[in-house]
Amino acid sequence: MNGRKQVLKLNSIPIQELSKQTGITVRTLRYYDQIGLLIPASKTPGKHRIYSDVELRKLQQIQFLKKLGFSLQEISDMISSREWNWSTSLMNQLDFVHKEQRKLSQMESALRAVLHSIVVEGETSWAVIQKLIQLSGQDPSLKQSFRNQMFDEREVEMLSLLPNMNSADPDSLEWIALLGQLKRLMENSPDSPDVQRIVRRMDEKRLEHFEEEDSFVDKLWEIRKSPDQSEQMGLYPIEQELLEFMELAFHIYVTRREEQQTERGEPS
């Protein structure tokens, strides 16, 4: 008996020391005691909680299971049961994690869309957010059906190369930035050097992915200019004034380029 007392004495861990060793706050350890999840080995005459190596190992188990996403009630059941079905529990938890990842991915996509709309618009508003809500609420099958109706199979594959407001890829980010810059220059003349510089870069980017695909680009532009078709396509809503300004600026850019090619004797 004296040997048993001596062992307990050697392995006694005050609650403050256990908190330091594990990083779990004293308040949390007291709560675990209150709900019966981690009951201390003993208490001092002054009611201070004392733990042994057994409780330390149990606390490590609790911490590990919490990292796996299990609730305290689930952890309590898992630790106390000798016939717990670990495979089922872990598979269920993995399925839950996958669902949460999809939710977080959707949330990330929506946040990017709002942030990128600020880059384009210069600010955001409930009117813009309402448009984003409408786009996010679209039936994906209807959007895909419209795309299949308007484009052939090869062109549908090319649609994946278009800039995406929900994406963080460098190509999309540059398109978004260029569109925002152009919008803020709408008070300028479409033939001004700043506007033409932006249009030139837009055309360079067009050629990077869609050189010799004029038919596809023209078809896409006609859809973009139609608010109804643009919405059915699932494209970010760009105000008509900006689209008209962009079209005029591109017309000036193309005309000047062709004139310069003619002067140099190059084929247009």
Side-chain angles (χ1 to χ4, degrees):
M1 187 68 177
N2 290 337
R4 172 65 174 167
K5 289 182 178 179
Q6 181 66 20
V7 170
L8 287 177
K9 182 177 180 181
L10 290 173
N11 295 333
S12 295
I13 308 174
I15 189 170
Q16 289 83 0
E17 181 60 29
L18 185 64
S19 175
K20 290 180 181 179
Q21 289 185 25
T22 62
I24 305 299
T25 65
V26 171
R27 182 177 180 180
T28 298
L29 292 171
R30 288 171 179 165
Y31 177 68
Y32 287 173
D33 182 14
Q34 292 173 7
I35 64 176
L37 180 61
L38 185 69
I39 300 174
S42 62
K43 291 185 179 180
T44 67
K47 303 299 182 181
H48 296 294
R49 294 170 175 82
I50 301 295
Y51 299 84
S52 70
D53 290 339
V54 173
E55 286 74 46
L56 175 59
R57 286 193 296 272
K58 188 174 181 180
L59 182 57
Q60 291 169 341
Q61 294 172 350
I62 293 170
Q63 287 179 287
F64 177 74
L65 292 173
K66 280 192 67 179
K67 288 181 180 179
L68 296 182
F70 290 103
S71 67
L72 293 182
Q73 183 58 57
E74 289 172 327
I75 293 172
S76 178
D77 295 339
M78 295 166 79
I79 291 177
S80 60
S81 175
R82 293 184 178 181
E83 299 180 357
W84 187 263
N85 191 325
W86 283 92
S87 295
T88 299
S89 295
L90 292 172
M91 288 301 297
N92 289 340
Q93 187 64 12
L94 188 59
D95 181 60
F96 169 77
V97 170
H98 287 160
K99 290 179 179 177
E100 289 300 301
Q101 286 176 332
R102 287 193 290 272
K103 290 180 182 178
L104 288 173
S105 179
Q106 292 170 354
M107 188 183 300
E108 178 185 7
S109 180
L111 286 168
R112 288 192 189 283
V114 176
L115 285 170
H116 292 163
S117 73
I118 295 175
V119 175
V120 173
E121 309 295 341
E123 60 180 359
T124 195
S125 66
W126 280 113
V128 173
I129 291 177
Q130 185 60 40
K131 292 179 181 179
L132 293 173
I133 292 173
Q134 291 174 355
L135 285 177
S136 65
Q138 280 185 324
D139 185 339
S141 63
L142 294 178
K143 181 171 66 175
Q144 189 60 45
S145 175
F146 177 79
R147 294 185 173 201
N148 292 337
Q149 176 186 345
M150 300 301 296
F151 299 94
D152 61 36
E153 185 175 346
R154 187 181 66 86
E155 291 173 335
V156 168
E157 292 180 357
M158 286 194 292
L159 292 175
S160 64
L161 300 176
L162 295 177
N164 190 331
M165 288 291 288
N166 301 64
S167 176
D169 69 275
D171 189 58
S172 291
L173 293 179
E174 186 177 3
W175 270 112
I176 292 166
L178 290 170
L179 192 60
Q181 293 172 31
L182 195 63
K183 178 179 173 62
R184 282 179 274 287
L185 290 173
M186 285 179 63
E187 294 183 356
N188 294 20
S189 171
D191 66 349
S192 69
D194 288 339
V195 171
Q196 288 299 303
R197 173 182 53 79
I198 294 171
V199 169
R200 181 179 68 252
R201 180 54 188 155
M202 285 182 166
D203 193 53
E204 290 172 352
K205 292 187 67 61
R206 174 188 67 83
L207 293 174
E208 289 174 9
H209 295 303
F210 306 116
E211 188 173 9
E212 299 182 357
E213 296 292 348
D214 292 347
S215 175
F216 169 76
V217 173
D218 290 343
K219 187 188 302 183
L220 186 63
W221 181 247
E222 291 303 315
I223 292 173
R224 167 54 87 181
K225 290 192 297 181
S226 168
D228 291 338
Q229 290 187 332
S230 184
E231 182 177 348
Q232 291 182 70
M233 182 85 173
L235 301 176
Y236 177 78
I238 299 177
E239 60 190 73
Q240 290 300 115
E241 292 81 2
L242 178 55
L243 292 173
E244 293 171 1
F245 182 79
M246 188 186 307
E247 186 171 44
L248 181 55
F250 260 99
H251 175 73
I252 294 171
Y253 169 76
V254 171
T255 300
R256 288 180 176 176
R257 184 183 61 187
E258 291 176 347
E259 290 174 350
Q260 292 172 356
Q261 290 173 340
T262 301
E263 291 174 0
R264 294 194 297 264
E266 299 175 358
S268 59

